[in-house]
Amino acid sequence: MTGAPLGIIAGGGAVPAQLAAAVTATGRPVFVLALEGHADRAALAPFPHATIRLGAVGEGLRHLRAHGVTDLVLIGTVRRPSLLTLMPDAEGAKLIGRIGRAAFAGDDGLLSAIVRVLEEEGFRVHGAHAVMAGLTAPEGVLTARAPSPADEADILRGAAVCRLLGEADIGQAVVVQQGLVLGVEAIEGTDALLARCGKLRREGPGGVLVKRAKPGQELRADLPTIGVRTVEGAAAAGLSGIAVEAERTLMPDRAATIAAADARGLFLVARRFTP
């Protein structure tokens, strides 16, 4: 990447501001496009930025070009809107036309199409993990507690179910207990999945949240992400632990996330799942 400003298209959560701070610390400037209703505007306030609504594509492209941005990172959570409520500007309507059927596909299909169109517009799109070192979960058992043999069986079961979910471009997470699938992630997200599964948990030990990237995942956008809030949700649901895909799961607050799992007696493990 060049010394020109790094463009950050920011959704929700703490990661966009963390990325902006990390890049700025290297001496490279940033310019942030904060998505209205999604981005944490207070956290992004210290950095050069503009706030745009999700459908204001033309305005966003003008901001990026005016600041000399050619390298882009898409980061942060964005709740996908209905096309009826998106209200795209003229450029946005053209972009939706260029995306075509992918606008009605799953999240990964849509994001892949958005990345393609941005590159056609002359931008280079990078994954956040390629810009900010140490952002992904390293392989291994990360906590004092390790999975039991029963937990390992649930992890294997969850990884297989997650793969099927990913092939259908539905979600990236599943909760398994004693071989039973208590719930799968769809549009509601991981936090809501955990809240739902806490009420479905069976008597007895175990219960594992498994997260992995989708087969053919667009690695420059929407990688699985976990943090302290995920650990809190898993603990509240009565689970034994969390298993994620090594090097393909974002864990921006690594030390705090591991500490939270240790404090609650959960295991946290990152594995290289088979295809």
Side-chain angles (χ1 to χ4, degrees):
M1 286 185 282
T2 69
L6 176 69
I8 300 173
I9 300 180
V15 184
Q18 291 172 340
L19 178 64
V23 173
T24 301
T26 69
R28 184 176 187 183
V30 299
F31 177 73
V32 182
L33 272 185
L35 298 179
E36 187 177 272
H38 301 274
D40 184 343
R41 295 173 65 179
L44 296 170
F47 308 101
H49 70 281
T51 301
I52 63 165
R53 62 181 183 83
L54 200 56
V57 175
E59 180 185 354
L61 293 177
R62 286 191 293 273
H63 279 301
L64 293 172
R65 289 176 174 139
H67 286 81
V69 169
T70 55
D71 293 299
L72 276 177
V73 172
L74 284 65
I75 191 70
T77 57
V78 177
R79 185 170 293 278
R80 184 171 174 171
S82 162
L83 289 177
L84 294 176
T85 62
L86 188 59
M87 296 183 295
D89 60 14
E91 287 295 321
K94 291 178 183 177
L95 183 143
I96 291 172
R98 288 164 64 187
I99 287 173
R101 292 183 179 179
F104 303 94
D107 286 346
D108 193 55
L110 175 60
L111 286 166
S112 295
I114 289 173
V115 168
R116 171 180 55 79
V117 170
L118 286 170
E119 291 183 327
E120 290 172 357
E121 288 292 322
F123 297 99
R124 293 183 293 267
V125 182
H126 307 273
H129 57 292
V131 175
M132 183 176 169
L135 197 59
T136 56
E139 185 175 10
V141 177
L142 307 179
T143 47
R145 179 179 176 181
S148 69
D151 293 326
E152 294 285 7
D154 282 346
I155 290 170
L156 289 175
R157 170 79 163 141
V161 173
C162 258
R163 187 182 190 284
L164 295 175
L165 279 180
E167 286 177 344
D169 200 359
I170 295 173
Q172 301 172 320
V174 61
V175 175
V176 179
Q177 183 195 12
Q178 300 168 19
L180 299 174
V181 177
L182 302 187
V184 298
E185 179 189 54
I187 199 168
E188 81 276 32
T190 304
D191 292 341
L193 167 68
L194 289 169
R196 178 160 45 89
C197 287
K199 302 172 184 177
L200 301 173
R201 190 179 174 280
R202 302 302 199 252
E203 291 294 326
V208 179
L209 169 69
V210 181
K211 295 196 75 167
R212 68 178 295 182
K214 300 171 184 176
Q217 172 95 36
E218 172 51 75
L219 298 179
R220 293 169 291 179
D222 196 34
L223 281 179
T225 303
I226 65 164
V228 172
R229 186 170 175 178
T230 316
V231 171
E232 292 172 345
L239 304 186
S240 296
I242 300 170
V244 300
E245 187 167 10
E247 310 298 343
R248 286 159 63 96
T249 303
L250 298 180
M251 192 164 65
D253 297 314
R254 182 185 298 178
T257 301
I258 294 170
D262 279 332
R264 291 162 177 80
L266 271 63
F267 67 80
L268 176 56
V269 62
R271 293 277 166 74
R272 296 189 185 277
F273 295 129
T274 55

